Amino acid sequence: MSQQTARHPIAMKKVVYQIPGMEAAVVRRDEPYNTTGADPLTMDRYYPSDAAPGARLPAVVVVLGYPPRTPNPLGCQFKEMEWSVSWGQLIAASSLAAIFYTNREPESDLRTLLHHLRANAESLGIDEHRIGLFATSGNAPLALSILMEEGRLLKCAALCYPLTLDLGGATAVAEAARQWGFVNAAAGKSVGDLPHDLPLLIARAGQDEFPHLNETLDRFLAESLARNLPVTFVNHADAPHAFDLVHDSETTREIIRQILRFLQFHLQAERASCKSAGLS
């Protein structure tokens, strides 16, 4: 049986929104970013098809908070899922670079990837001063942890239907991590550990079926607003978990557009400001 036919059906689903020309994105596949183990860890980089030679683009790193499993229940690597491919194309069609990657140890490997991107930014065509994170579901606790550690080096983060933090004695995130296998990297942390000036976008699935996810998320949002963090919040009232894959509606497509606009605004705004001032 081929890898294609062996894939789990969820790995074959594309995002329900498309941009004209997105499939023309230039993709650099399976490039090593860490060669210290028996097998190199690799990344796929998506670039706009019309990127100028030598351009250094803002980049979005799509966070992977799950370690590899054997056998792989998806039948393919995370970066090879159609979800990943279509999001990579959408981000590239929005004039940004997108990075998907493999891992062994989610926390340390994400740090290594970010260090690799910054250290090799010129040869990779990436602006090391304009890197943001995008994370969904159980990948979000790792994204939050990295924001707490490296927020001064990042420009923004977008979190979709995310698991977040166990606050006020709650245990829902820890329980979900045990059940589903993601790394609860922000365990024991609070909203107060997040950078006070780093823009966040939170997209909530109003009909999320995962136990206590929205209860936990609502507490996270309330605490973030109480601290006046720069949070952009959108609630997809009728949608389930993973609505970008399974809820084919104009509301879903508008929220995806909003996520892309958020990333564009916060990753491109500084450069646009410099150009308008004649500084580039």
Side-chain angles (χ1 to χ4, degrees):
M1 182 176 292
S2 70
Q3 184 187 57
Q4 185 77 6
T5 57
R7 290 188 181 191
H8 189 284
I10 197 67
M12 301 297 294
K13 293 183 72 67
K14 297 182 179 182
V15 175
V16 300
Y17 174 62
Q18 295 184 341
I19 294 175
M22 60 185 275
E23 294 184 355
V26 176
V27 189
R28 310 297 187 195
R29 298 194 186 279
D30 296 321
E31 295 189 338
Y33 73 88
N34 184 349
T35 59
T36 58
D39 297 312
L41 296 174
T42 63
M43 60 180 173
D44 292 352
R45 296 183 284 127
Y46 291 74
Y47 292 90
S49 60
D50 59 354
R56 296 177 64 173
L57 299 173
V60 178
V61 174
V62 182
V63 174
L64 176 56
Y66 293 79
R69 293 170 58 184
T70 304
N72 183 344
L74 295 174
C76 66
Q77 294 177 337
F78 172 74
K79 68 185 183 69
E80 296 167 348
M81 293 177 61
E82 290 299 322
W83 179 91
S84 300
V85 172
S86 49
W87 265 112
Q89 293 172 339
L90 285 168
I91 292 168
S94 303
S95 301
L96 306 170
I99 314 294
F100 295 80
Y101 61 100
T102 63
N103 69 12
R104 283 186 291 267
E105 301 291 337
E107 292 182 75
S108 60
D109 291 338
L110 178 53
R111 294 189 196 99
T112 298
L113 173 67
L114 290 169
H115 175 77
H116 177 83
L117 296 177
R118 294 178 186 122
N120 299 278
E122 184 173 3
S123 64
L124 295 174
I126 288 172
D127 186 338
E128 69 273 28
H129 302 298
R130 270 184 276 276
I131 297 176
L133 303 182
F134 177 44
T136 62
S137 191
N139 301 300
L142 176 55
L144 290 171
S145 176
I146 293 296
L147 293 177
M148 293 170 184
E149 294 178 12
E150 301 192 16
R152 62 186 178 81
L153 300 175
L154 297 165
K155 296 295 289 185
C156 63
L159 308 179
C160 242
Y161 40 90
L163 277 300
T164 50
L165 303 176
D166 281 326
L167 303 174
T171 60
V173 178
E175 291 168 5
R178 285 191 292 270
Q179 181 176 359
W180 300 105
F182 63 83
V183 173
N184 189 14
K189 300 292 186 177
S190 71
V191 174
D193 294 308
L194 286 167
H196 71 279
D197 57 352
L198 192 144
L200 286 175
L201 181 145
I202 307 291
R204 180 182 185 271
Q207 302 301 316
D208 204 302
E209 62 271 33
F210 281 80
H212 307 296
L213 187 152
N214 276 348
E215 178 184 334
T216 302
L217 177 56
D218 294 349
R219 191 177 294 117
F220 174 87
L221 285 165
E223 181 67 20
S224 298
L225 293 174
R227 293 177 176 273
N228 199 31
L229 298 186
V231 176
T232 299
F233 172 59
V234 56
N235 184 42
H236 196 341
D238 299 326
H241 198 77
F243 57 76
D244 52 337
L245 283 180
V246 301
H247 197 270
D248 190 359
S249 68
E250 186 53 36
T251 301
T252 296
R253 287 184 281 277
E254 175 54 30
I255 290 172
I256 294 170
R257 286 191 288 265
Q258 186 170 353
I259 292 168
L260 294 169
R261 288 194 298 266
F262 172 88
L263 294 170
Q264 286 176 310
F265 178 80
H266 290 290
L267 293 174
Q268 295 176 336
E270 183 179 334
R271 171 167 288 176
S273 176
C274 289
K275 285 185 176 181
S276 66
L279 299 176
S280 61

